[in-house]
């Protein structure tokens, strides 16, 4: 009995040991959870009684016993347990030893990732912005911006360091995004004169009104009596205050110049003739002013003429959506006469009242911000740009960047032609000292050094070239999508020369509007100044004609060279005449479209048959004896046989005779004998039509508003 007890204690002891220990795949021994206490109780305590308690207990010991079974099964790799499989050990493959030592390559740092170039994205920048702000607006990483700045020779350690507006623009151009400068208004703010733009339809008296205000005669100096430039000048009013006036052209070709005038102005004076009413350019000027969010003062001119009806003008303006004071709106209306100087004092009061309501002020210290309203090339002084200062003070000797051109201000001249050292807000000045001719509408930016000016100029030129190539690619893609349905057009290359940059743009835009499905107007070169030998050489190379607007006659040597090279030079001082001549040239150049027209009709009165002819004369034929009732018949035309309005036969004419004599053409009222090739189905009373192929040329159409077009 004692032996049995000892054996039983030994078996229980072995079972508890198996329960208390488990081994993982690495062979490490672990105690099972909750088992150490029971084992200690058995060894040091109650013997079989503790083992019995362990077996019958409902605590975690029994559960740990069953878990231990699974662990033992895992350890013994028994695959018959559901859901458990022993992982297979992969064989270790010994790698082959290399016979050659590894090549030591230099470490190349990863290139910072730039933002994806988006030509339509506009990033607003300002002076003193941090690198983090620029990264947030442009979408580029801080490391990318720091890398670009390092290439520009600038080192920015922290993302919270501020950079200048010039550096921000250079970085933006490197990223390939569009930049918009936001100029700060900090500094000494003082009241400034109002910038007033005079707009309206052609020949409504805009320039005559300004002549009366400044007691000069500009209209008489303009070719054809119309303004073809933007005139900027300061007028001293009777009250002692000054107003800066801009005179814009009224012709349809100068739409862009009117838009530039509205972009830099504070108040728009809309001149409407009382005897003419609202015209297309009047509506266009209203749209420019509304787009620029500029208040309008209406001046009804020519009120002293017979047939003037100011009330009709008010009704027309009100119907176009302009809320006049007479109708409960806020737009002031003044009746004036520019020639007799009636109502000018009321116009002055209206302008000063509008300026007082707007409370016009501008920053006077710090670098200037200006816009170019006109640009031209002077033979002795070089490129000149007429600008209006918006804020700050423009000082002679400063380095500036104007559009894609740069330079150092050599001199500043006011509207009277006098040299001045500085220009304050709302003051128009002429800048001399630029390296190239800027475009009208470009902004003037003051920079610190020549190096920075050159870098900005080069970056802007590079971006302009990229944009130009992108537009060319887009146009080529559009033409490829159209396919073969579009007929080939004849190209007409043109070289445009004018006296100022604004006129160049206006003439170029007007000529491009003359494009038609038959003729493609290709402006191969534009320039400011008279026609030169270089223009003759370029025209000879590309077979172009030269258009000169408001430029002096070329020397006799250049004229002789153009005549020998068969190059046309068209010189005009009025935009109407220039467009009319170019329209006629384009119509002559157009190949036209081939159309089939009915040139004549005839009635079949009798039928004659020729039988028994010899083989040399051909088979038997039928001849239709006809009388031409309308138009004329031609032997080269195509004949169409009609019966009761239906086409019976159509074919070429093989014979046309009158009294046994062959005839090429016969007019209305003539009797003739007619034979249609391979046709013998004539009947008395049939109708025969003569069809001819004609080339229809396009038409040059000039509307009353001054707009021109080619209609095919």
């Amino acid at each position: 009995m004692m032996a049995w007890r000892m054996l039983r204690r030994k078996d229980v002891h072995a079972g508890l040991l198996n329960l208390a220990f488990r081994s993982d795949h690495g062979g490490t021994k672990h105690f099972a959870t909750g088992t150490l206490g029971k084992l200690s109780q058995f060894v040091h305590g109650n013997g079989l009684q503790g083992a019995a308690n362990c077996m019958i207990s409902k605590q975690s010991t029994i559960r740990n016993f069953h878990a231990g079974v699974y662990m033992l099964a895992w350890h013994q790799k028994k695959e018959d347990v559901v859901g458990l499989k022993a992982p297979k050990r992969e064989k270790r493959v010994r790698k082959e030893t290399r016979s050659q030592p590894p090549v030591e390559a230099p470490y190349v740092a990863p290139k910072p990732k730039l933002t994806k170039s988006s030509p339509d994205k506009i990033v607003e920048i300002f002076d003193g912005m941090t690198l983090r702000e620029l990264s947030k607006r442009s979408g580029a990483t801080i490391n990318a911006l720091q890398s670009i700045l390092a290439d520009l020779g600038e080192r920015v350690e922290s993302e919270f360091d501020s950079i200048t507006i010039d550096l921000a623009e250079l970085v933006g151009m490197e990223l390939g995004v569009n930049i918009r400068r936001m100029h700060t208004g900090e500094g000494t703010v003082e009241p400034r004169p109002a910038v007033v733009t005079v707009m309206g339809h052609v020949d409504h008296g805009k320039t005559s009104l300004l002549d009366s205000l400044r007691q000069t005669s500009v209209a008489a100096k303009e070719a054809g009596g119309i303004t073809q430039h933007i005139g900027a000048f300061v007028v001293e009013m009777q009250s002692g205050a000054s107003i800066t006036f801009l005179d814009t052209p009224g012709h349809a070709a100068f739409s862009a110049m009117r838009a530039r005038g509205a972009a830099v102005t504070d108040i728009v004076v809309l001149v409407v003739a009382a005897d003419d009413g609202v015209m297309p350019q009047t509506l266009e000027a209203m749209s420019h002013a509304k787009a620029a969010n500029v208040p309008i003062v209406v001046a009804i001119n020519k009120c002293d003429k017979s047939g003037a009806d100011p009330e009709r003008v008010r009704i027309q303006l009100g119907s176009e959506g302009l809320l006049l004071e007479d109708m409960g709106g806020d737009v002031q209306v003044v009746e004036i006469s520019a020639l007799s100087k009636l109502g000018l004092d009321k116009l002055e009061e209206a302008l000063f009242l509008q300026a007082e309501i707007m409370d016009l002020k501008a920053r006077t210290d710090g670098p200037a911000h200006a816009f170019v309203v006109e640009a031209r090339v002077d033979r002795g002084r070089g490129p000149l740009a007429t600008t209006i200062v918006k804020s700050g003070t423009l000082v002679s000797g400063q380095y500036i960047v104007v559009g894609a051109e740069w330079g150092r201000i050599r001199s500043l001249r006011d509207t009277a032609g006098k040299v001045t050292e500085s220009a304050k807000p709302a003051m128009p000045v002429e800048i001399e000292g630029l390296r190239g001719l800027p475009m009208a509408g470009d902004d003037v930016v003051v920079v610190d050094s020549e190096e920075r000016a050159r870098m900005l100029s080069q970056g802007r030129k590079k971006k302009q070239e990229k944009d130009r190539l992108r537009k060319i690619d887009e146009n080529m893609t559009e033409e490829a999508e159209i396919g073969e349905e579009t007929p080939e057009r004849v190209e007409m290359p043109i070289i445009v020369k004018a006296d100022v940059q604004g006129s160049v743009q206006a003439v170029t835009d007007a000529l491009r509007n003359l494009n038609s499905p038959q003729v493609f107007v290709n402006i191969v070169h534009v320039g400011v100044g008279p026609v030169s030998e270089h223009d003759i050489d370029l025209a000879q190379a590309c077979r172009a004609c030269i258009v000169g607007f408001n430029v002096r006659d070329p020397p006799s040597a250049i004229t002789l060279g153009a005549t020998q090279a068969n190059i046309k030079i068209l010189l005009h001082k009025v935009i109407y005449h220039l467009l009319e001549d170019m329209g006629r040239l384009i119509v002559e150049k157009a190949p036209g479209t081939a159309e089939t027209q009915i040139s004549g009709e005839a009635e079949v009165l009798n039928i004659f048959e020729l039988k028994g002819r010899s083989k040399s004369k051909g088979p038997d034929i039928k001849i239709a004896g006809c009388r031409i009732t309308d138009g004329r018949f031609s032997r080269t035309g195509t004949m169409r046989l009609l019966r009761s309005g239906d086409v019976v036969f159509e074919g070429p004419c093989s014979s046309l005779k009158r009294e046994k004599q062959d005839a090429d053409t016969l007019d209305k009222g003539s009797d003739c004998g007619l034979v249609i090739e391979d046709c013998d189905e004539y009947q008395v009373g049939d109708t025969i039509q003569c069809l001819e192929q004609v080339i229809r040329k396009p038409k040059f159409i000039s509307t009353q508003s001054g707009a021109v077009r080619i209609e095919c």
Side-chain angles (χ1 to χ4, degrees):
M1 192 69 179
M2 191 69 178
W4 182 85
R5 289 182 177 179
M6 292 295 295
L7 180 60
R8 185 65 176 167
R9 179 179 296 182
K10 187 175 181 181
D11 294 337
V12 173
H13 185 257
L16 290 176
L17 286 179
N18 289 332
L19 176 66
F21 292 92
R22 65 181 177 86
S23 62
D24 56 7
H25 295 289
T28 308
K29 301 290 184 176
H30 301 280
F31 275 109
T33 305
T35 310
L36 181 59
K38 296 298 180 180
L39 180 60
S40 175
Q41 183 181 1
F42 176 81
V43 175
H44 300 285
N46 297 327
L48 288 174
Q49 184 179 357
N53 292 334
C54 179
M55 296 296 294
I56 65 176
S57 175
K58 295 183 180 180
Q59 296 178 354
S60 61
T61 308
I62 298 299
R63 289 194 297 269
N64 287 339
F65 176 78
H66 290 289
V69 173
Y70 280 97
M71 292 179 184
L72 291 174
W74 180 274
H75 177 65
Q76 297 173 2
K77 299 181 181 180
K78 294 182 178 181
E79 297 181 359
D80 56 345
V81 181
V82 178
L84 292 177
K85 289 185 179 181
K88 296 181 180 180
R89 292 187 178 182
E90 298 181 356
K91 295 182 179 180
R92 296 175 61 90
V93 180
R94 187 174 182 181
K95 296 183 178 180
E96 298 180 357
T97 58
R98 297 181 178 178
S99 59
Q100 297 180 355
V103 179
E104 294 183 0
Y107 172 74
V108 180
K111 189 175 182 181
K113 187 178 181 180
L114 299 177
T115 181
K116 188 176 180 181
S117 178
S118 177
D120 298 330
K121 187 176 182 179
I122 298 178
V123 177
E124 295 181 349
I125 60 174
F126 54 89
D127 198 11
M129 69 186 308
T130 62
L131 206 62
R132 184 178 183 84
E133 182 70 20
L134 182 59
S135 172
K136 182 179 178 180
R137 297 191 178 198
S138 63
T141 62
I142 301 294
N143 293 334
L145 299 181
Q146 289 178 341
S147 175
I148 295 175
L149 289 172
D151 294 339
L152 296 175
E154 300 288 338
R155 186 175 181 181
V156 180
E157 298 291 344
S158 173
E159 61 185 72
F160 300 102
D161 292 344
S162 61
I163 59 177
T164 63
I165 191 171
D166 300 332
L167 278 177
E169 182 177 350
L170 289 172
V171 172
M173 288 188 296
E174 190 68 24
L175 293 175
V177 296
N178 295 323
I179 298 298
R180 179 185 296 164
R181 286 178 169 245
M182 306 298 292
H183 294 273
T184 179
E186 299 178 356
T188 305
V189 179
E190 297 179 0
R192 64 171 178 84
V195 179
V196 178
T197 299
V198 181
M199 291 184 168
H201 190 71
V202 61
D203 198 28
H204 275 201
K206 300 182 298 298
T207 308
S208 300
L209 171 61
L210 295 175
D211 292 343
S212 300
L213 291 174
R214 61 181 176 174
Q215 300 298 324
T216 57
S217 180
V218 174
K221 299 177 184 178
E222 291 285 355
I226 61 174
T227 301
Q228 301 176 120
H229 305 93
I230 289 183
F233 45 84
V234 179
V235 175
E236 296 290 338
M237 308 301 289
Q238 296 179 1
S239 60
S242 61
I243 296 180
T244 300
F245 279 96
L246 292 178
D247 183 18
T248 60
H251 190 267
F254 296 92
S255 174
M257 299 176 72
R258 282 194 298 279
R260 288 198 304 272
V264 300
T265 191
D266 301 315
I267 305 171
V268 168
V269 174
L270 185 63
V271 179
V272 186
D275 60 340
D276 204 4
V278 176
M279 299 298 288
Q281 266 73 64
T282 309
L283 301 177
E284 187 181 356
M286 289 171 54
S287 64
H288 288 319
K290 290 180 180 179
N293 197 18
V294 177
I296 298 176
V297 175
V298 178
I300 303 179
N301 194 19
K302 303 181 181 181
C303 290
D304 56 344
K305 288 186 65 175
S306 60
D309 191 358
E311 292 301 324
R312 181 172 65 93
V313 175
R314 286 184 170 90
I315 295 174
Q316 290 177 345
L317 292 174
S319 63
E320 295 296 338
L322 201 62
L323 301 178
L324 307 179
E325 282 185 341
D326 302 342
M327 303 177 182
D330 56 352
V331 177
Q332 302 181 71
V333 182
V334 182
E335 296 182 8
I336 63 171
S337 175
L339 294 180
S340 59
K341 300 181 181 180
L342 295 177
L344 297 185
D345 53 346
K346 296 182 180 179
L347 178 61
E348 179 182 349
E349 292 176 2
L351 292 176
F352 279 114
L353 176 60
Q354 186 65 46
E356 185 178 354
I357 294 174
M358 299 175 66
D359 191 20
L360 299 173
K361 294 182 180 180
R363 173 180 56 86
T364 57
D365 55 354
H369 176 220
F371 286 98
V372 178
V373 295
E374 196 55 88
R376 64 187 180 92
V377 176
D378 187 82
R379 176 180 291 183
R381 299 164 58 194
L384 302 175
T386 302
T387 63
I388 289 185
V389 181
K390 294 288 289 183
S391 62
T393 302
L394 194 64
V395 182
S396 180
Q398 290 180 331
Y399 289 99
I400 58 174
V401 178
V402 186
E405 305 295 338
W406 71 279
R408 185 179 182 183
I409 301 178
R410 189 161 54 243
S411 67
L412 295 173
R413 295 178 184 268
D414 57 11
T415 55
K418 297 180 181 179
V419 178
T420 180
E421 290 297 325
S422 61
K424 292 189 175 182
M427 181 177 178
V429 290
E430 191 175 60
I431 298 177
E432 178 183 345
L434 295 174
R435 298 296 183 93
L437 188 69
M439 297 292 293
D442 288 342
D443 59 336
V444 180
V445 178
V446 179
V447 295
D448 299 332
S449 61
E450 179 181 348
E451 180 183 3
R452 185 58 49 82
R454 186 182 290 107
M455 291 175 64
L456 276 176
S457 175
Q458 292 176 353
R460 290 184 177 184
K461 287 181 179 178
K462 188 182 298 183
K463 189 176 184 307
Q464 286 181 357
E465 184 66 18
K466 288 182 179 179
D467 294 342
R468 187 183 67 85
L469 295 176
R470 181 170 59 87
K471 289 182 180 179
I472 292 176
D473 292 341
E474 291 177 355
N475 294 336
M476 293 178 64
T477 304
E478 291 178 358
E479 291 179 359
E481 290 176 355
I482 293 175
E484 300 178 354
E485 297 180 358
T486 304
E488 294 184 1
R489 295 191 295 177
V490 177
E491 182 181 358
M492 186 173 184
I494 299 175
I495 297 174
V496 178
K497 300 297 292 287
D499 55 342
V500 294
Q501 186 66 50
S503 298
V504 169
Q505 182 179 353
V507 173
T508 302
D509 294 341
L511 291 176
R512 283 175 177 162
N513 289 335
L514 296 179
N515 276 326
S516 66
Q518 298 184 21
V519 178
F520 169 62
V521 178
N522 184 16
I523 309 297
V524 296
H525 176 67
V526 296
V528 176
V531 180
S532 62
E533 294 182 1
H534 172 72
D535 300 327
I536 300 297
D537 296 338
L538 180 60
Q540 188 175 2
C542 59
R543 298 179 181 179
C545 67
I546 301 175
V547 175
F549 178 72
N550 211 12
V551 296
R552 66 176 185 271
D553 295 337
S556 57
I558 295 179
T559 305
L560 181 60
T563 304
Q564 294 176 351
N566 197 18
I567 297 173
K568 288 186 177 181
I569 300 179
L570 303 178
L571 301 178
H572 290 283
K573 295 185 179 296
V574 180
I575 191 70
Y576 300 111
H577 304 158
L578 185 147
L579 294 178
E580 288 175 359
D581 279 359
M582 290 305 301
R584 285 193 290 267
L585 281 179
I586 291 174
V587 169
E588 294 176 2
K589 185 86 172 179
T593 55
E595 292 184 351
T596 301
Q597 292 184 353
I598 300 175
S599 61
E601 286 188 358
E603 182 182 0
V604 179
L605 302 178
N606 203 350
I607 300 173
F608 306 96
E609 295 186 15
L610 294 180
K611 294 184 177 180
R613 305 178 70 194
S614 61
K615 294 183 180 180
S616 61
K617 293 183 179 182
D620 300 339
I621 60 174
K622 284 186 179 182
I623 302 174
C626 306
R627 176 171 294 168
I628 300 175
T629 58
D630 188 19
R632 67 183 185 90
F633 267 50
S634 174
R635 186 175 181 179
T636 58
T638 302
M639 301 302 168
R640 177 185 293 169
L641 181 62
L642 301 176
R643 185 174 301 151
S644 300
D646 297 331
V647 179
V648 178
F649 188 84
E650 185 173 326
C653 176
S654 62
S655 177
L656 179 64
K657 292 187 178 184
R658 182 181 182 184
E659 297 179 355
K660 299 183 180 181
Q661 299 292 329
D662 292 332
D664 294 330
T665 58
L666 292 175
D667 297 329
K668 178 181 178 181
S670 302
D671 294 334
C672 62
L674 178 65
V675 177
I676 303 176
E677 188 174 333
D678 298 331
C679 179
D680 55 357
E681 300 178 4
Y682 309 109
Q683 291 183 8
V684 176
D686 289 347
T687 301
I688 298 178
Q689 294 179 343
C690 180
L691 308 179
E692 288 186 345
Q693 291 284 340
V694 295
I695 303 298
R696 188 171 66 88
K697 292 279 189 177
K699 295 180 181 179
F700 173 76
I701 298 176
S702 177
T703 61
Q704 186 180 1
S705 63
V708 295
R709 69 179 187 273
I710 301 293
E711 187 177 89
C712 295

